[in-house]
Amino acid sequence: MNTREEVPLKKFNVKDKRVKLRRLDANKNKPVKYIKESDVKITILNDIPSMNYLPELVMATWNEDIDEFNASLTEEDRKRFIFRTLQGKFIPTALRSIPVTFKIENMSWHDVSHLIRHTQLSYASDCSGDKVIENRPVILPQAVKNCGCFEEYDEAMRLLNYCYDKILNDGGHIQDARLMLPRTMTTFYYVTGNLHGVIDFIKARIDRQVQPRSDNLIAMKLLLELCKKIPELYFIVNPEMPNSFYIRETTTNFASKWQPPLPQNAEALKDCDTEFLYDNRDDLPGNSEFVEIWKELLETFENRKNEYAEENPKILKIVEDCTTGDWR
């Protein structure tokens, strides 16, 4: 039996003020709630529409009679057309016709600066100037602990929260108070795009040689959620695929060149004579937890992929036909 007093649900009132100020507990010693980078959460919010129309869309150039063309296709033909479209082998208009909206939670304000660089996507944001931010979790990077500066980091976070609370309590404007909020404080974003743009986002941000851990985790978790909706992507978007941007930029004088190539990029860069800023990132302080989580995510991806193949054995023939066979 629930002994807690039930709080009556407050009904929405369209005439309420959107911004509701209140007095905060301005206390320099108020504890901060910390979470890990790996606590980032991805939720796809919309249903992915049927893709049965894709064959006639991608074959519009050649078809004189659309009805005759549709009638000529077997179910397996249609699946091959869809798979080949997902591979990106037809006009990008096809993938751009498939909407995707997802929510990212437990990301840092710093992560936002990377997210919004993707101009193929549109955003609805958590706004720090239109609500009171109180007791919001903060990311605790493993490097803070490994490099022995947790006490200083914790004090900085508490003091910034205190400054925010005190400015509001003393009558300062909420848009001034929000300047106190740390970049590692968590936020959420709604992201809308099409399948073409979302796949490009995943391929860019999953690159562990040029993107931060947080980007890698967002991309990988988004891929896992997207594969639940479109399982054919298990056989198309490989988390350990060659990283085209890294390969291309490493051969120039204008790349950060943080670390030597990972195995999937080594062959393409075997003749590249360059010095790198770090050795393998995975061996640096602050990365051991990520390494283990990344292994778990890769294992989850492979297990789900294998489960889908066992339940849908025809998919392997479709993959073969569209990769090396007549449909390639």
Side-chain angles (χ1 to χ4, degrees), residues 27-32 158 162:
N27 181 350
K28 293 179 182 179
N29 296 314
K30 184 167 59 175
V32 177
R158 287 186 283 107
Y162 168 77

Side-chain angles (χ1 to χ4, degrees), residues 2-9:
N2 187 359
T3 58
R4 293 180 61 185
E5 182 179 350
E6 293 187 6
V7 178
L9 181 65

